[in-house]
Amino acid sequence: MLRLSPWTKRLLCLAALLCLAPAATPRFFEFSDASFELSSEAKGVAHTGSHEERIIAALDAIRSGNMADARATVDALIAEQPNYRLAQLLRADLYAMRVMPLSTIGGGVASAPSNVLDDLRKEALVRIAHRNDKIYADRLPANIVAFAPQQKFAILIDAATSRLYVFANDNGQPKRVRDHYVTVGLLGVDKKIEGDQRSPLGVYFVTSHLPREQLDKTYGSLADLYGVGAWPISYPNELDRSQSRTGHGIWLHGSPAATYARAPQASNGCVVLTNEEMLDVAQYLQPGNTPVISVPAIKWVNAEQWQQQHNAGLALLEQWKSSWETLNTQQYLNFYSPDFRSGEGQDISTWREQKAAVNAGKTWSKVQLNDVSIFAAGPQASQMVATFNQNYRSNNLNNQMKKRLYWQQDAAGWKIVWEGNALN
């Protein structure tokens, strides 16, 4: 009599279940409570579109019970991107559903590490949440207050939704070009110290481009972590430095070859895209010029509200400039916060004394501001960063510089918390 091993017996039992079991009622309860029957022989039609559009279409097909289309879509995705882990997870679930209902994404691979499954579930939910969020389709970001003429594009990162947006300078108004899913720091955002595995929040600028060839020479096999290349940003900025925030090497970059997309929170502080999407975004990056605005959540407004904010931001800067060049010392100093720090490290008391003494020796002054940009960060766009080329002339001094002002909104209105040379 033929003796079968325990594993052989288990495999034969599973085969019998696959052949004899009645149709199951698979569901992902967090997406839908609708019941549906599975036809294992049905041949589905693969959805088309971007990889993200297709993974969402597969999830929608599962939710509606169209398992054949879901399988066809996932199989086509994996044929193109075998390292797309979320697609691989859905494939495992789809085949497990032939014999049992599933209560959650990843239920078909219960032996996988729980942290891996949690990350993939978060990715699925983040992608679906973005698709479902249609309310802002015709809105503008309050975080882009004013483009400088030479700035063709701006990058806006919404940490709450793990989304990166590209906006074009359309005659001074932001126009949405595209958006992509991104990964941020393992422990979230609001970077404070070196090694805290958080991504920074604030207004930064792309400083350079590190192509893959250069990364290979510098980092060897570790260069694969950055995928197709890296675009460093200017963290820590001037305000970060004044607040003793530390850290370096915060980049926009691609993904390792063996990983199509990473979890929503998985980096050491960088902002990470898939390689194909990083290359797409790269065409809009101008080192030394393109702002990267990272915020807890984008503040969306309608066109009328955006124009009002645009006008108000420029008017505020003009009022500051006018009080300075008319030598109205008290009015000028009222623009500064009690928490102010200058680029040279002066606090508000020292600043007041110096400005009062300087103005006492002036008979006239003229201030011209060119190439003005204003971008807003912080909760509800409560921090504004103005950058401009300043031409200052007076009876005893002529000076030109690239200056940056950080404004903070509080109960007293908008106040300057940092002023000095723009470092980039």
Side-chain angles (χ1 to χ4, degrees):
M1 179 176 171
L2 179 63
R3 295 178 61 86
L4 300 177
S5 70
W7 277 108
T8 302
K9 291 178 182 177
R10 291 181 186 134
L11 288 172
L12 288 173
C13 290
L14 178 59
L17 283 170
L18 288 170
C19 294
L20 301 176
T25 309
R27 305 182 213 175
F28 286 152
F29 290 119
E30 63 256 56
F31 296 128
S32 174
D33 284 333
S35 299
F36 50 83
E37 292 187 355
L38 169 65
S39 174
S40 59
E41 277 87 30
K43 185 176 182 180
V45 176
H47 287 262
T48 59
S50 69
H51 292 152
E52 181 172 60
E53 288 169 341
R54 285 188 279 170
I55 204 72
I56 291 174
L59 289 163
D60 285 344
I62 294 171
R63 180 176 57 185
S64 63
N66 191 343
M67 311 305 286
D69 283 0
R71 285 197 301 275
T73 301
V74 168
D75 287 346
L77 259 179
I78 291 173
E80 292 180 23
Q81 290 291 346
N83 295 324
Y84 198 166
R85 294 178 181 177
L86 181 55
Q88 292 281 8
L89 183 68
L90 292 184
R91 174 192 262 178
D93 281 347
L94 285 163
Y95 284 93
M97 283 177 182
R98 290 179 172 180
V99 295
M100 69 185 80
L102 300 181
S103 63
T104 185
I105 292 175
V109 286
S111 61
S114 61
N115 63 318
V116 173
L117 292 179
D118 286 345
D119 282 346
L120 290 171
R121 290 172 186 136
K122 289 174 185 175
E123 180 186 342
L125 292 170
V126 163
R127 290 184 185 276
I128 285 182
H130 172 71
R131 189 282 310 274
N132 291 338
D133 199 359
K134 301 295 186 184
I135 189 173
Y136 303 127
D138 60 348
R139 299 295 181 95
L140 300 176
N143 308 88
I144 299 176
V145 181
F147 279 106
Q150 71 275 14
Q151 289 169 328
K152 297 179 180 179
F153 302 97
I155 304 298
L156 186 51
I157 299 167
D158 188 323
T161 61
S162 293
R163 208 78 194 172
L164 178 150
Y165 295 81
V166 179
F167 286 93
N169 180 352
D170 184 17
N171 294 317
Q173 188 176 87
K175 178 181 179 181
R176 189 185 304 192
V177 176
R178 64 211 329 101
D179 57 87
H180 296 296
Y181 165 87
V182 294
T183 294
V184 296
L186 181 66
L187 297 181
V189 292
D190 198 15
K191 186 172 187 63
K192 291 183 171 67
I193 60 172
E194 176 84 24
D196 62 6
Q197 294 185 306
R198 294 179 181 271
S199 297
L201 294 175
V203 176
Y204 304 95
F205 294 85
V206 176
T207 60
S208 61
H209 172 212
L210 303 176
R212 179 57 187 267
E213 297 79 8
Q214 182 178 343
L215 293 170
D216 284 334
K217 292 178 181 178
T218 305
Y219 298 102
S221 61
L222 295 177
D224 181 56
L225 177 65
Y226 310 111
V228 293
W231 285 258
I233 65 173
S234 58
Y235 175 86
N237 62 27
E238 300 89 353
L239 185 63
D240 293 328
R241 294 168 189 258
S242 74
Q243 296 174 342
S244 301
R245 298 193 178 215
T246 60
H248 69 284
I250 303 299
W251 301 346
L252 305 178
H253 66 75
S255 298
T259 305
Y260 173 71
R262 297 172 69 179
Q265 292 182 202
S267 79
N268 286 326
C270 293
V271 176
V272 184
L273 294 88
T274 68
N275 286 321
E276 63 183 12
E277 291 172 335
M278 184 67 255
L279 290 175
D280 177 72
V281 171
Q283 66 184 309
Y284 304 105
L285 303 180
Q286 299 172 279
N289 207 14
T290 303
V292 176
I293 309 142
S294 179
V295 297
I298 294 173
K299 180 181 179 181
W300 298 101
V301 295
N302 62 36
E304 181 180 359
Q305 291 169 326
W306 183 87
Q307 191 63 51
Q308 290 172 350
Q309 178 183 269
H310 169 79
N311 294 341
L314 293 176
L316 180 67
L317 193 61
E318 178 62 28
Q319 291 162 12
W320 167 81
K321 186 201 83 161
S322 177
S323 67
W324 184 16
E325 67 180 354
T326 57
L327 305 178
N328 189 333
T329 304
Q330 187 55 53
Q331 185 182 69
Y332 169 77
L333 291 173
N334 283 341
F335 284 99
Y336 291 83
S337 166
D339 300 323
F340 171 79
R341 288 291 184 276
S342 74
E344 291 76 30
Q346 297 163 303
D347 62 15
I348 188 61
S349 297
T350 307
W351 184 261
R352 287 179 177 277
E353 291 174 5
Q354 178 191 346
K355 291 302 177 182
V358 167
N359 280 358
K362 302 288 184 185
T363 58
W364 64 271
S365 68
K366 292 291 182 183
V367 183
Q368 186 175 9
L369 309 182
N370 299 311
D371 300 327
V372 174
S373 71
I374 306 175
F375 303 106
Q380 290 295 305
S382 56
Q383 179 193 103
M384 284 199 306
V385 182
T387 307
F388 45 86
N389 291 320
Q390 175 182 290
N391 183 0
Y392 174 86
R393 295 179 296 118
S394 71
N395 58 293
N396 55 11
L397 178 66
N398 290 336
N399 175 266
Q400 294 182 348
M401 63 184 296
K402 183 178 181 181
K403 180 175 277 190
R404 188 160 289 146
L405 303 178
Y406 287 82
W407 300 74
Q408 189 67 43
Q409 189 176 36
D410 58 24
W414 287 100
K415 300 294 182 182
I416 299 170
V417 293
W418 190 93
E419 175 180 334
N421 288 311
L423 299 180
N424 48 69

